[in-house]
Every structure is written in C-alpha cells, then in structure tokens.
Amino acid sequence: MLRVLQRIVEAVNQAPDFELALQTMVRQVKEALQTDSCTVYLADHDQQQFALAATDGLEVSSSEPIHVPFGEGVISLAAKREEPLNIANASEHPKFLKLDEVDEARYNAMLAAPVIHRRRVLGVLVVQQEHDRAFTRDEEAFVVTLAAQLAVVIAHAEAKGYLRTTKQSPWLQTTKGLAAAPGVAIGPAYVVQPRAKLSDVTPKKSDKPEHEIRRFRTAVARTRQELNELSESMKGQVAEESLAIFEVYHAMLDSASLGQQVEQTINDGWRAQTALKIVVEDLVNQFENLDDEYIRERASDVRDLGQRILSHLKERGRYQHSPPPQCILVAHEVTATMLAELPNTEIIGMVSVRGSGNSHAAILARSMGIPAVLGADEFDINELNEDTLVVDGYNGEIFINPPLQVENEYRELAEEELELRQKIETARGQPVETEDGVKVTLQLNVGLNTDRDWLNELDIASVGLYRTEIPFMMQERLPTEDEQVELYSQVLEQFKAGTVVMRTLDVGGDKPLPYLPMNEENPFLGWRGIRMTLDHPEIFLVQIRAMLRASVGRNNLQILLPMITSAEEVDEAARMVKQAYHEVAEEFNGHDTQQLAAPKLGVMIEVPAMVYHLHTIVDKVDFFSVGSNDLTQYLLAVDRNNQRVASLYDAYHPAVLHALQQIIERANDLDKPVSVCGELAGEPGGALLLMAMGYRTFSMNSYNIDRIRWIIRHIKAADLAPMLARALQARSPQEVRKIVTMTLEEAGLGGFVRAGS
Ligand code: PEP
Ligand code: MG
C-alpha cells in the first residue's frame, strides 16, 4: 500500500498543472482501490458550495459546472464532521442528494474523506462502488492519507490563484505568510536563488515561444562559458581525467538531442524552464533505468548540466547581480547571514518562504526596520521577475503586482508609519520615565545587524545584548583572536559612555557554523550556545580573551553566557573567564593596573529549568538577562523557526507571563539585577506587561527604541497593575493581547498596535 501511495503522490506532484493533478489523483485512486468511481469536490467558501472538480467514474450529463450547496449531501456531512464517512448504501442515507446532472444512483458504497489544510476544509475526496459494502479500515486509511496530500496540492493551487473565486478581483494576487517585522514596503522583487533545482520548477505555459527559445539559447551560451571558465580554473588542480567531464558536458550541449528537444517542447507551449525540466527529467529517467552501470551514472551529469542551464535561465541569484535600488529581498530561506551580506541600504522589505517570526532572520529584519513576511510557504518565487511587491509586515500579506488602488492604500499606510516615526523621534534626549516618575533603562540589542553607524542618534548609552555570532557565521573559518579584538573594540568604543553586554558565542539552533558541522535531529535542543563552547575551550577562551583585550582602557565590558541550564556550566564558564582575565591582565596590567577591570558576568535566563534554579547560580554571577525568545520556545515546546507551529509560539501565553513574573520576583528576593533582552521587551504590549511585573531594564533592537521610550513616557506605572492581574488570569495569549491592547488604547497609544500586529 505504501508504495502505491508514494507512486500516486509523486504522480500528482509531477503533474504539470492543477487540473491534471486532480485528474491524476482520481484516476490512480480509483485504479488502486479497484472501485467504480473517485471524485474530488472543492469547497468554495465564498459561494458556500462544493464544486465537482475531477471525477473518474461519475457520468455528468451537463456541460455546466456541478455544485453541491454547503450543508447538503453526504460530502457536506463529511466536511462538517471533519472525519471520513464510510457508508455501505449511500443512496439510502438521509443526507444523500440526488443531482439530476450526475448519474450517481447506481453507486451504493461510498467513502467520503474531507480534505483539510491547516484546519480549513478545502474539499472532499470521494470513492464509490456499485455493490453495497463498507470499505475496509485499510482502504479508509489510504483515502484519508491521500486526502491529506491533496490538501497540500489544493492549498498551493489556491495560493497561486488557480482557484480564484468570482468575488476576488482576477488580477489581485496575494499570498499570506507570517507577519515577522512590522511596516509596509513597496518595491521590485529581488529573488536570491541559492542553487537552481529542476525539481523545484513549477510547470508553466507560455504563448511566446520565440522569446522562450531566445532565453534558452542565451542560457546555453552562458553555461558553455561557465564550463570553460570552470575547467580553466581547475586545470593543474585536478587530474586530467577529471577534466574530461567538461568535454562530456560540452558534447551534451552540442548534441542535437538536448537542445533540440527543449526547443521542441517550448514550441509545444511550455516556458523554457518547464521545457528544460521535462526534457532533462525524462533523460535522467531513461538513464537511470538502463542496465549499464556507467550509463546510469551519467544521469547525475545530465541533471547537473540541466541545473546549470536552469540557473542561467533564471538570470538572477546571489552571485549573478546586485540588488536593484529599494528592492524587496525574496528567497526560499532568508538567513541572517544573507541579510548581513547584502547592502542593506537597498533592501526595503523581505519575503521568505521558510522561517517564522521568531527566527534570527526575523529578529534581524526587525532590527533593521525592514518589513518582513516569513513562512509564505505557498509562494512560488520562481514566478517573480522584478514584479512589484507590496509587503504588509503587519498582517503578513504579500501582493504581487497589485492594482494601483491597493498600492496607493499601502503608500498611505507607509506615510502614516513615517509620520509616527517622526513624531516619536522627538522624544530622543528626554528622560525615559513614566508619567508618575518611574525610571526605566533602555538598552540596545546589536550584532546581527552589521550596520551600527546611526545607532548614536538614538540617544541610548548602553548595549544590553551584543550577539557575537554573525562574524563567526560569515567566514569560512573561525575568526582569529586579533580579528575579534578589532570588531569588539569598535563596539566598546562606540558605546564607551555606557556598558556593552557581550554574549559569548550562541551558535547552533538556527545559527549553524558552516565549518563546524552539527547534524542534529533537534538542533534547538542540542549542541547550542554554552554547550558547544564549553566543549571547545579553545574557541571560548579565544573569544573571551578577545573581548577582554578589546576592553583594555575602556572597561565597559560585561560578559553574558547563553543557554545556561545548570550551575556547573556557570562554574566552568566562570573559571575560563577568570583564566582569560588573568592572562590578559598579566599582559597589560604590567603597564598600568587601572587598564583592565574584571568584567561583570551575567547569565541568560532562557532555559525554563533556570527559572526554578536561580538560587543555585545567584552567587556566581553579577546579573541576569531574560531571553524571552528562547524561554517562550522551550516553555511552550514550539520550535521558534517552524512555520507550521508558529501560531502556537506566543510570548503572551499566560504560562510565559507567570514564568517572567516568577523570575523578577526571585531576582528581587535574591537582590540580583535582571533585565529582559528578548523581543518581548521591544513590543509595546510586552514592555507594558514587563513594566507591570517590575522589570526596569529593557534591551531591544534599534527600531523599537523610539516606540518604547514614547510609550513609557505616556503611561503611569501605577495604572498597570490591574492589567497584569487580568493578563495572568487569562486563559489564552489572545485574551492577553486584548487586555494589553485595551490598556494601550486607553492611554491614547492605540496607534502603536496595528491590525494583526
Ligand atoms: C532570547 O532567546 O530571547 C535572546 C535574546 O537570544 P536569541 O534570540 O539570540 O536566542
Ligand atoms: Mg536565546
């Protein structure tokens, strides 16, 4: 059964268009189950009806589309109950609906499985048979499994507009993802493709064969040139025989077969990329099925060559051209490194197919003030060709080539946003203090964003979190001690009037080092942060030494340890910090004992175990810093990077609030300073909740500083207690959000809460 399932899923996924995919599904399911009929109905929620979309077995006498109103028929019952219905004699079922145009009465047995994607019914998959019989448990499981697969296919088609309903404007193409960084951006798409893959090409038709053939020929010419350059550069480095592969590639490009077949397929009405996919995949299949092992091996050469041509066909990508001015970065997976590498003055928005609002790429986007939508998983980036995009970072929506009216609405929203920014900037230089005189310290989170030039304008003296990972991730090896000294010196110098909390390397999770492979099933629960650096004292000591050397003469360094789970880890890390301090002090203090003060040491409270164990580390450190991002992830057992469960990741979860409350109470009892450096501190509602709990030091990205300062200056701390009491009693994050939004509204700060944000 499994093999058959796999075969059907593969065939459906390979189908060049949606209609064919449905046809393939019904035909193959009917065949596999040896039933008399298989049918797919699609739900049209606007029209409140199901539409018969594909059938193998039902005889339809009308040329008009067949509809079943919601609430009628067995299919509606299956959809409503959200479970399969297995009925031996459907025509006797009270819900059976006789449609005049469909010859269905002869079928007795019926199995109807709802097709559900992310809790929404998208349709119903039905199999029917003439003689009365109940379908077996195995058959039922088979159909339910296929319905789940079909859900993905339909959701994808829906997102791409193939299922556009009459109510929607035919030219309004939108896609939904997760609102990862607030704001609105309008500009041309800049698609960054890491490595083109033929399997990722979505089949598309074209009615401009000459144009497509020209594109294909240009791509072939570029591929030839690339192969020449590659073989030239490899001469002398590899054995002569290895270079023979380039001859083979050239021959393949020369050969009438590949080029001619692709051009022929283009003439059949396909786009160049699709034609290339069809021809190359067909060739690869033929090669793979041959007995001769040598020829079978050539399949991978053909695929490689095809992908090379494909990457030239796409004519864009990381290594192909630089971003156009004021563009929107679009990638399958935007990484923090990718953002850091690109000239960020040109990137005004960001869309990522993978990822979620809590990933480091999202944090980086927020710190750069770039509106971002992540986890737009039904968004086909291959379709974009410098199209204009509107990125709505409040609601997680993306519009592709929107009509002028929509674009104008968004331009207005962007202007309002700008006005708000200009207004709140005027509070720079004013004390960060509530209306009733409670003082708050705001600090900056830096490090992910390499551009620090304008931070001084923000009127913030100290850095509460300097993430040191990026320089480690952007190189092909570990940065040397001297390289690190130079980097850290710049930050310590820039904030010499205040203090800089430098966090030791927190790689792992969604920040792997390219040169230190960590192949783990559960990277967020694995070798991450302090766990990795304690296993590599040579890396840890070099980093601490570099921090200390950079701090000589400035003495504004504080060191923060990430992912601490036990007192032993703190002991071990503190011992190494001490060792590094003595080494560096010996080198420098020989000249002047004032030069190097011992740095304060802090611990991130982000692993839930530590919430209950603060007393075991309190005497070993000088301060605590709450990492609400990871604390939320680990308390709720929700991978902060996984878009599938992103709706479950919510720092407003009452359980998270209780943990945060407990931390501040314990820290106060133990008389230890505690701050918050997770994203919650930079959110208007989050900052209010934390204020109400008693936190007085918040570290956040540069984008949020002006907002939070403004909000603090326009509230009374004494008014916040009832809000917190209600939030702690709330049953869900949504309820907390409502309570907090109301408080902001009442304080006249409703403009800081946008729809969906
Ligand atoms: C956190 O976990 O809240 C935090 C500040 O660290 P990071 O987001 O880098 O894991
Ligand atoms: Mg963290």
Side-chain angles (χ1 to χ4, degrees):
M1 219 50 155
L2 184 63
R3 292 269 325 136
V4 181
L5 257 173
Q6 279 172 340
R7 212 193 51 230
I8 297 180
V9 171
E10 240 163 65
V12 169
N13 286 334
Q14 301 263 323
D17 62 37
F18 180 57
E19 268 167 40
L20 273 174
L22 295 186
Q23 286 298 346
T24 310
M25 171 74 94
V26 292
R27 206 183 52 247
Q28 299 215 4
V29 172
K30 182 183 151 199
E31 196 182 299
L33 292 182
Q34 300 197 338
T35 57
D36 299 323
S37 157
C38 177
T39 309
V40 174
Y41 294 89
L42 295 181
D44 179 344
H45 289 272
D46 285 340
Q47 303 293 322
Q48 291 284 296
Q49 62 189 12
F50 290 99
L52 193 158
T55 184
D56 185 354
L58 289 189
E59 272 170 36
V60 179
S61 57
S62 161
S63 56
E64 293 296 307
I66 305 294
H67 292 125
V68 177
F70 279 4
E72 293 186 26
V74 174
I75 58 168
S76 292
L77 192 63
K80 185 169 166 236
R81 289 203 187 155
E82 300 185 339
E83 61 182 9
L85 291 182
N86 188 350
I87 303 167
N89 195 333
S91 53
E92 284 174 10
H93 193 278
K95 271 283 178 193
F96 185 76
L97 177 70
K98 171 84 192 78
L99 294 169
D100 292 340
E101 311 86 346
V102 183
D103 162 32
E104 203 176 5
R106 63 197 162 99
Y107 295 131
N108 286 314
M110 179 176 191
L111 172 59
V115 177
I116 302 178
H117 185 68
R118 301 206 174 150
R119 303 190 184 178
R120 211 161 66 90
V121 175
L122 301 183
V124 183
L125 178 63
V126 178
V127 288
Q128 287 166 286
Q129 191 127 26
E130 279 192 26
H131 64 269
D132 311 19
R133 66 132 170 156
F135 287 91
T136 65
R137 289 275 153 229
D138 268 2
E139 286 169 326
E140 195 176 308
F142 181 84
V143 172
V144 169
T145 311
L146 281 170
Q149 300 286 345
L150 185 58
V152 180
V153 176
I154 298 175
H156 190 68
E158 192 179 52
K160 287 167 75 182
Y162 299 154
L163 305 183
R164 228 164 266 141
T165 59
T166 43
K167 275 199 178 166
Q168 261 179 323
S169 149
W171 24 265
L172 185 59
Q173 255 189 292
T174 68
T175 297
K176 197 121 175 85
L178 299 158
V184 167
I186 304 165
Y190 170 61
V191 182
V192 175
Q193 305 269 17
R195 174 100 161 81
K197 268 180 154 173
L198 284 165
S199 55
D200 290 346
V201 172
T202 315
K204 278 201 85 181
K205 296 258 181 189
S206 162
D207 52 8
K208 295 187 203 120
E210 305 79 25
H211 171 72
E212 293 298 312
I213 286 177
R214 247 194 332 270
R215 287 183 58 222
F216 174 66
R217 288 184 182 166
T218 313
V220 169
R222 289 201 184 134
T223 308
R224 281 187 195 287
Q225 192 186 339
E226 180 191 80
L227 291 175
N228 286 340
E229 285 166 10
L230 214 67
S231 72
E232 270 308 305
S233 70
M234 285 168 83
K235 268 192 190 138
Q237 294 179 40
V238 296
E240 274 297 307
E241 308 86 86
S242 305
L243 293 175
I245 185 65
F246 292 105
E247 299 304 319
V248 177
Y249 280 3
H250 273 295
M252 280 201 255
L253 286 172
D254 280 340
S255 80
S257 69
L258 189 75
Q260 235 177 40
Q261 274 186 39
V262 174
E263 293 190 13
Q264 220 164 40
T265 315
I266 292 174
N267 279 324
D268 289 343
W270 294 105
R271 272 181 69 171
Q273 291 175 23
T274 311
L276 182 71
K277 173 190 170 81
I278 293 171
V279 171
V280 171
E281 284 181 351
D282 195 38
L283 263 176
V284 167
N285 258 339
Q286 286 176 29
F287 278 25
E288 279 175 345
N289 285 324
L290 290 173
D291 286 340
D292 185 306
E293 199 180 325
Y294 176 80
I295 298 186
R296 267 206 314 271
E297 294 274 302
R298 300 284 66 78
S300 66
D301 294 341
V302 177
R303 191 182 293 111
D304 182 48
L305 186 64
Q307 307 207 128
R308 278 174 195 279
I309 304 174
L310 181 66
S311 64
H312 287 293
L313 263 178
K314 289 180 186 267
E315 286 183 287
R316 42 181 127 85
R318 201 163 179 173
Y319 308 110
Q320 276 157 28
H321 68 78
S322 47
Q326 305 292 291
C327 64
I328 290 168
L329 170 67
V330 182
H332 184 69
E333 182 163 21
V334 176
T335 59
T337 337
M338 188 188 282
L339 268 176
E341 267 173 1
L342 288 164
N344 55 24
T345 44
E346 299 302 359
I347 310 288
I348 58 162
M350 164 182 141
V351 175
S352 182
V353 174
R354 292 202 53 213
S356 79
N358 319 300
S359 60
H360 284 91
I363 294 176
L364 179 49
R366 285 196 285 273
S367 78
M368 292 159 86
I370 296 177
V373 174
L374 271 76
D377 63 344
E378 275 120 26
F379 185 64
D380 190 351
I381 64 174
N382 297 323
E383 306 221 323
L384 297 176
N385 197 0
E386 298 218 355
D387 295 83
T388 299
L389 297 186
V390 170
V391 177
D392 176 348
Y394 298 114
N395 293 307
E397 256 177 315
I398 308 153
F399 296 81
I400 305 155
N401 294 324
L404 202 61
Q405 184 201 350
V406 172
E407 194 177 319
N408 286 343
E409 271 171 33
Y410 273 99
R411 286 204 189 278
E412 258 173 49
L413 190 60
E415 264 162 39
E416 276 172 31
E417 170 79 1
L418 187 68
E419 271 168 32
L420 180 74
R421 271 199 219 191
Q422 285 164 345
K423 181 175 90 174
I424 58 180
E425 268 176 33
T426 58
R428 290 179 187 168
Q430 314 269 342
V432 189
E433 193 177 305
T434 62
E435 285 177 350
D436 51 349
V438 174
K439 288 193 170 37
V440 173
T441 305
L442 298 189
Q443 300 177 328
L444 275 165
N445 285 0
V446 297
L448 285 183
N449 186 356
T450 46
D451 176 18
R452 293 190 316 268
D453 290 353
W454 61 281
L455 294 183
N456 291 342
E457 292 169 20
L458 290 171
D459 179 36
I460 297 293
S462 294
V463 169
L465 172 64
Y466 174 69
R467 290 178 168 101
T468 56
E469 293 80 64
I470 284 290
F472 283 77
M473 289 162 66
M474 286 183 48
Q475 302 209 13
E476 277 156 21
R477 53 164 177 77
L478 290 162
T480 64
E481 186 172 318
D482 285 346
E483 282 166 349
Q484 291 185 56
V485 171
E486 197 184 324
L487 214 73
Y488 304 154
S489 302
Q490 288 167 10
V491 187
L492 291 169
E493 179 62 22
Q494 186 172 2
F495 292 91
K496 59 175 182 276
T499 48
V500 176
V501 177
M502 288 199 176
R503 187 173 69 184
T504 62
L505 196 55
D506 185 20
V507 290
D510 62 346
K511 292 178 292 187
L513 288 182
Y515 42 87
L516 200 78
M518 304 174 184
N519 287 328
E520 298 177 295
E521 294 262 328
N522 278 314
F524 274 114
L525 297 183
W527 205 42
R528 193 190 157 190
I530 201 76
R531 301 173 184 180
M532 186 283 235
T533 46
L534 286 183
D535 283 351
H536 277 287
E538 77 287 10
I539 298 176
F540 192 72
L541 279 167
V542 164
Q543 184 176 37
I544 302 287
R545 279 179 53 86
M547 288 178 180
L548 289 163
R549 279 177 56 200
S551 136
V552 171
R554 300 188 178 97
N555 288 338
N556 55 345
L557 167 72
Q558 304 190 350
I559 294 176
L560 180 61
L561 308 171
M563 287 290 292
I564 290 289
T565 317
S566 69
E568 287 76 42
E569 286 169 342
V570 181
D571 282 337
E572 187 64 4
R575 186 188 61 72
M576 282 198 263
V577 171
K578 218 179 206 166
Q579 178 186 330
Y581 172 73
H582 285 304
E583 285 168 17
V584 177
E586 218 163 85
E587 283 166 34
F588 287 91
N589 284 1
H591 312 291
D592 177 354
T593 46
Q594 294 304 304
Q595 293 273 312
L596 183 62
K600 284 193 170 155
L601 187 65
V603 158
M604 296 244 359
I605 308 300
E606 53 185 347
V607 177
M610 264 307 119
V611 178
Y612 307 100
H613 247 206
L614 290 181
H615 58 282
T616 63
I617 55 168
V618 68
D619 295 332
K620 304 174 193 296
V621 296
D622 303 293
F623 64 96
F624 298 136
S625 183
V626 181
S628 55
N629 307 338
D630 279 313
L631 189 62
T632 305
Q633 148 164 281
Y634 295 126
L635 259 180
L636 303 182
V638 179
D639 177 345
R640 63 195 263 190
N641 243 14
N642 181 342
Q643 73 252 37
R644 229 187 228 183
V645 287
S647 62
L648 300 177
Y649 179 102
D650 201 330
Y652 283 47
H653 193 297
V656 178
L657 301 186
H658 278 281
L660 291 165
Q661 166 94 342
Q662 186 160 342
I663 295 169
I664 179 92
E665 281 172 5
R666 295 291 293 132
N668 286 345
D669 287 351
L670 297 166
D671 203 18
K672 196 60 58 179
V674 60
S675 58
V676 182
C677 65
E679 293 294 287
L680 191 65
E683 271 178 35
L688 287 195
L689 286 165
L690 293 167
M691 283 283 299
M693 291 176 196
Y695 287 94
R696 294 292 176 258
T697 305
F698 304 130
S699 192
M700 66 199 66
N701 65 54
S702 48
Y703 175 80
N704 286 328
I705 288 279
D706 288 329
R707 279 159 207 267
I708 301 300
R709 175 174 21 222
W710 183 273
I711 286 169
I712 288 171
R713 288 176 49 77
H714 289 83
I715 49 139
K716 283 201 183 72
D719 289 349
L720 299 176
M723 173 198 69
L724 178 64
R726 288 182 59 208
L728 288 170
Q729 293 300 316
R731 298 172 65 87
S732 68
Q734 293 74 15
E735 209 178 312
V736 173
R737 199 158 259 119
K738 264 193 216 146
I739 295 166
V740 170
T741 304
M742 233 152 61
T743 310
L744 282 163
E745 296 274 1
E746 279 163 11
L749 300 165
F752 289 91
V753 192
R754 295 258 180 214
S757 64

